[in-house]
Amino acid sequence: MSTEPGKGQTRTDEFGDGVDPRNWTARLRRRAVRALPPDRLMPDRQPAYVSSWIYVFGVLTLTALIWVIFSGTWLALEGPVWWHTSPVGHFVNSLHLWGVELFFFFMVIHLWGKFFMAAWRGRRAATWVTGSIAFLGSIATAFTGYLVQTNFDAQWISTQAKDGLNSVGIGAWFNVLDTGQMLLWHVLLLPLVLGVLIVWHILLVRRRGVVPPIGAEPEEQEQLAAAPETEGTRR
């Protein structure tokens, strides 16, 4: 419950705190709480259908991604000489590779599973779009990873790819023969974009809820998936 402030006065927000309506951080906090209440951000209950195996692959994808980031950071800190000559480097390099393989395996099953469930239902189109773009971004990140192996495999891939990229006019600023540039794309630029997309995707899942199976959409679950209404949407 809030009180209308007079000129130069503060008002009480939903937390019982005195808030100056001119304070942008207070306005931002109120909008964030309305869009994503704490019980949606970190729920302690989920619908019964979430126990189905198809809902597991989103979490497995995130788990594989965490391992890819961990092993990739280790490789970047040690350098190519270490992962080419050290037995431990060989082991970590292999773990990184298999982490990527599992990441794509889980993500493709997650993507196809949600496609056949029509996961864009219930105002979840943005959730579907961010997940699909994240998948494309993952392919680009993996491609640059192959280019920075510093071996003959990477050399062959880069020489084959350069003609195709040059033919569409992007070879001037995305030079696959430049290992330093590809390393920057692989360890910083693309992972940063991918991380933003994944966080955005997860927040949208929390806001709308997981998509129910087709034909099993009780009214209360549709209400649960609907976003909290603001004063403007109630009119």
Side-chain angles (χ1 to χ4, degrees):
M1 187 174 181
S2 62
T3 59
E4 292 296 330
K7 185 176 181 180
Q9 296 179 346
T10 61
R11 69 179 180 184
T12 303
D13 66 1
E14 55 267 35
F15 301 104
D17 299 327
V19 176
D20 186 344
R22 297 168 297 179
N23 190 320
W24 69 269
T25 56
R27 294 197 303 270
L28 180 62
R29 183 186 68 222
R30 289 195 298 271
R31 290 180 181 177
V33 171
R34 283 198 300 266
L36 197 65
D39 60 337
R40 287 181 181 270
L41 183 62
M42 301 188 68
D44 56 359
R45 299 177 62 187
Q46 290 287 359
Y49 52 75
V50 177
S51 60
S52 174
W53 64 270
I54 195 62
Y55 290 94
V56 174
F57 286 96
V59 176
L60 290 177
T61 303
L62 290 176
T63 304
L65 177 62
I66 292 172
W67 178 251
V68 168
I69 294 173
F70 172 76
S71 57
T73 302
W74 195 349
L75 291 172
L77 290 175
E78 296 291 348
V81 175
W82 177 75
W83 76 61
H84 281 307
T85 60
S86 168
V88 178
H90 289 158
F91 178 68
V92 176
N93 192 27
S94 298
L95 289 178
H96 186 68
L97 171 64
W98 284 107
V100 173
E101 299 285 352
L102 288 174
F103 172 73
F104 275 97
F105 176 75
F106 295 144
M107 183 166 49
V108 168
I109 295 179
H110 177 64
L111 179 66
W112 279 111
K114 298 309 173 186
F115 174 79
F116 286 112
M117 291 174 65
W120 47 85
R121 292 174 292 127
R123 301 172 63 189
R124 295 181 179 90
T127 308
W128 171 259
V129 170
T130 53
S132 300
I133 296 176
F135 173 69
L136 297 177
S138 300
I139 295 176
T141 307
F143 171 66
T144 55
Y146 278 111
L147 296 175
V148 298
Q149 295 178 97
T150 62
N151 56 17
F152 287 113
D153 188 23
Q155 182 178 0
W156 187 88
I157 294 173
S158 61
T159 54
Q160 297 302 309
K162 69 177 179 64
D163 294 332
L165 295 174
N166 289 337
S167 67
V168 295
I170 63 175
W173 57 272
F174 192 80
N175 184 3
V176 293
L177 298 178
D178 188 340
T179 304
Q181 185 187 104
M182 292 301 102
L183 183 63
L184 179 64
W185 277 100
H186 183 66
V187 303
L188 180 62
L189 299 179
L190 288 174
L192 181 62
V193 174
L194 188 60
V196 171
L197 286 171
I198 290 174
V199 171
W200 189 7
H201 181 72
I202 294 173
L203 291 177
L204 287 172
V205 171
R206 291 301 191 186
R207 184 182 185 189
R208 303 296 185 188
V210 294
V211 63
I214 297 177
E217 304 181 52
E219 183 179 353
E220 57 270 21
Q221 292 301 337
E222 285 299 306
Q223 294 174 353
L224 181 65
E229 292 184 345
T230 61
E231 294 181 359
T233 58
R234 290 197 197 101
R235 297 175 181 174

